[in-house]
Amino acid sequence: MTSQLGGRMAYAVWGVALATYFLAIFHRSSLAVAGLAASERFGISASQLATFAMLQLLVYAAMQIPVGLLVDRYGPRAVMLSGVVILTLAQTGFALAESYSVALVSRTFVGMGDAMTWICVLRLVSRWFPPRRVPVFTQLSGTVGQLGAVVAAVPMTVALREVGWTAAYLGTASLGILLALGLVFVVRDAPEGRRVSGPRMSWPGIRTSLTASWAHPGTRLGFWMHFTTQFSATAMALLWGYPFLVQGEGRSATSAGVLLTLIVVAFIYSGPLLGLLIGRHPWHRSSVVLVIVCAIVVVWTAVLAWPGPAPLWLLVLLTQVIGFGGPASMIGFDLARTSNPAERLASATGIINQAGFAASLVLVLSIGLILDWRTPGASTDYSPDAFRWALSAQYVLWGVGLAQIVRYRRRARAVIDRRALESGVPMT
């Protein structure tokens, strides 16, 4: 196989990296349909259940900048291999856990391993494909990777019911062994070498790199775009979608699983569309994000304000608009690419990637706390009214995020306008 940009070797490297990201998404999302089972297995409340996702997201968000720095230093192959080993061991621990504390530790390491995949995929895409094809392959990577959430929905529901908790989670953990072998024997950091390392890291160098990345308004715009678009779909897919649909909307377990799968379906078809759109119209990236966020807010408002359970067509529409939020969040990574030099691309990407997960962390925890506040005693039988209160926490995050997008897109456009006159830098 040739090692040229966009050649057969590029697709082989991308395929193995994408499979690894796919598995990471599966492990991240597998708790979404196991929330009620986890409550029964460990005897925990809603806020304790939310702690699973909270710790996982906290670790994921906190790891983004360190992982970006590690990728810049040691290359994506070594970092991704470490991540898949951690994921495999963590999911094995979660399968065997019989106490809440052991399960918490396991999910913490799931978040750590998960954090070591996506930035690596983005770096490999930027090195193995021509620049004009990077936005499309970035969206395709996110789209195909999100199929892991499909496997974590209906099939995982069936596995938990048919073979039980331990067997279901052990079976998925074993897949990490195969992917580790693929990373060792197939993946190369770049066409010019199996391992491409950066300069040695030092605290002054790290500080300078991160400061320079954050100082650019394009990086900040990407940060707030990622913050505002992702949290609704993540909170639903990761933990609260299934309980909301079953207890808050009165849907059956099967119907809830299908609706959660439809979120990923929206992610799948919207990703390539948005990739083509922003590739052809880079000046309108922030405008596309603003339109998508406003659509999410409008449909969520209709669902929460509906007297009684929302009709099925409205819930389906909800899955589609929040599904667009995932690919929309990836537009922020394109801002990192066009706002930073190659030597600090991974660290800038890490800064942006932590935004949406930090927002998701706040939302997941807020929903759990509000559900417990609105539910008498220690019951886990949450009412539709309790879910309306809990899910209204999204409006605070939307308000903050939209205000910051508008603020920094003005600043980013001013910088890009000035540089475009001088050197033709891609527009925001």
Side-chain angles (χ1 to χ4, degrees):
M1 290 186 290
T2 178
S3 295
Q4 66 184 14
L5 288 180
R8 288 180 294 171
M9 186 63 190
Y11 282 93
V13 170
W14 181 58
V16 174
L18 197 54
T20 305
Y21 177 57
F22 177 100
L23 184 64
I25 292 292
F26 173 88
H27 289 326
R28 180 198 305 172
S29 305
S30 62
L31 192 59
V33 295
L36 298 179
S39 296
E40 295 176 2
R41 181 179 178 88
F42 303 116
I44 54 178
S45 65
S47 56
Q48 289 176 306
L49 179 61
T51 303
F52 278 128
M54 180 192 72
L55 277 177
Q56 185 176 329
L57 287 174
L58 178 63
V59 172
Y60 187 97
M63 287 284 293
Q64 290 309 299
I65 292 177
V67 167
L69 293 169
L70 288 172
V71 172
D72 286 337
R73 173 65 181 92
Y74 296 105
R77 176 175 171 269
V79 175
M80 184 174 278
L81 180 59
S82 300
V84 78
V85 171
I86 292 172
L87 272 172
T88 301
L89 295 175
Q91 198 75 332
T92 299
F94 193 61
L96 301 175
E98 295 184 357
S99 68
Y100 179 57
S101 58
V102 173
L104 277 179
V105 172
S106 298
R107 292 309 287 185
T108 299
F109 280 96
V110 168
M112 183 180 296
D114 183 12
M116 301 170 79
T117 56
W118 175 240
I119 293 177
C120 298
V121 173
L122 293 180
R123 171 55 69 88
L124 290 169
V125 167
S126 68
R127 282 181 169 173
W128 280 96
F129 293 96
R132 61 185 174 79
R133 297 168 65 186
V134 169
V136 174
F137 273 90
T138 296
Q139 290 290 349
L140 284 174
S141 298
T143 296
V144 177
Q146 287 299 318
L147 288 172
V150 174
V151 179
V154 176
M156 191 63 181
T157 302
V158 175
L160 286 168
R161 184 179 66 243
E162 298 297 328
V163 301
W165 179 282
T166 300
Y169 278 103
L170 277 180
T172 60
S174 65
L175 297 175
I177 300 172
L178 296 176
L179 289 176
L181 293 174
L183 290 167
V184 170
F185 294 108
V186 177
V187 172
R188 301 172 61 179
D189 283 342
E192 60 268 24
R194 181 173 294 275
R195 180 182 178 187
V196 178
S197 301
R200 287 182 176 273
M201 293 186 294
S202 64
W203 286 115
I206 291 172
R207 184 169 58 250
T208 299
S209 176
L210 294 178
T211 300
S213 296
W214 182 245
H216 196 293
T219 302
R220 298 196 188 194
L221 176 58
F223 178 94
W224 289 108
M225 288 162 64
H226 197 270
F227 177 98
T228 313
T229 50
Q230 181 181 312
F231 61 78
S232 187
T234 299
M236 288 283 283
L238 189 64
L239 185 62
W240 292 119
Y242 188 80
F244 166 67
L245 293 169
V246 172
Q247 296 180 330
E249 293 296 327
R251 298 292 166 179
S252 66
T254 300
S255 177
V258 171
L259 286 168
L260 290 175
T261 302
L262 289 178
I263 297 175
V264 185
V265 171
F267 196 115
I268 291 170
Y269 72 75
S270 64
L273 292 176
L274 291 179
L276 291 171
L277 180 63
I278 66 173
R280 294 176 180 175
H281 306 285
W283 183 252
H284 297 292
R285 285 178 287 188
S286 56
S287 298
V288 170
V289 168
L290 288 171
V291 170
I292 291 173
V293 173
C294 289
I296 293 172
V297 173
V298 168
V299 178
W300 258 119
T301 301
V303 170
L304 297 178
W306 198 275
L312 182 60
W313 66 265
L314 183 56
L315 293 177
V316 171
L317 180 60
L318 176 67
T319 66
Q320 300 308 283
V321 294
I322 67 174
F324 265 74
S329 71
M330 295 182 195
I331 297 175
F333 302 132
D334 206 50
L335 268 294
R337 181 179 64 87
T338 57
S339 302
N340 295 273
E343 61 268 17
R344 66 169 192 255
L345 176 58
S347 55
T349 301
I351 291 173
I352 291 173
N353 200 30
Q354 68 180 343
F357 291 96
S360 301
L361 168 65
V362 172
L363 181 60
V364 165
L365 180 60
S366 298
I367 290 173
L369 291 173
I370 295 171
L371 284 174
D372 282 345
W373 168 52
R374 301 296 301 178
T375 304
S379 173
T380 57
D381 186 16
Y382 310 116
S383 68
D385 182 67
F387 273 107
R388 289 191 184 94
W389 276 89
L391 291 166
S392 294
Q394 296 178 99
Y395 289 96
V396 176
L397 299 175
W398 283 321
V400 171
L402 286 170
Q404 294 292 76
I405 290 174
V406 172
R407 175 188 179 190
Y408 282 108
R409 90 172 191 151
R410 291 172 180 166
R411 297 186 182 185
R413 285 184 168 185
V415 171
I416 297 303
D417 279 342
R418 184 171 64 251
R419 292 185 177 178
L421 293 175
E422 302 171 355
S423 59
V425 174
M427 294 183 291
T428 309

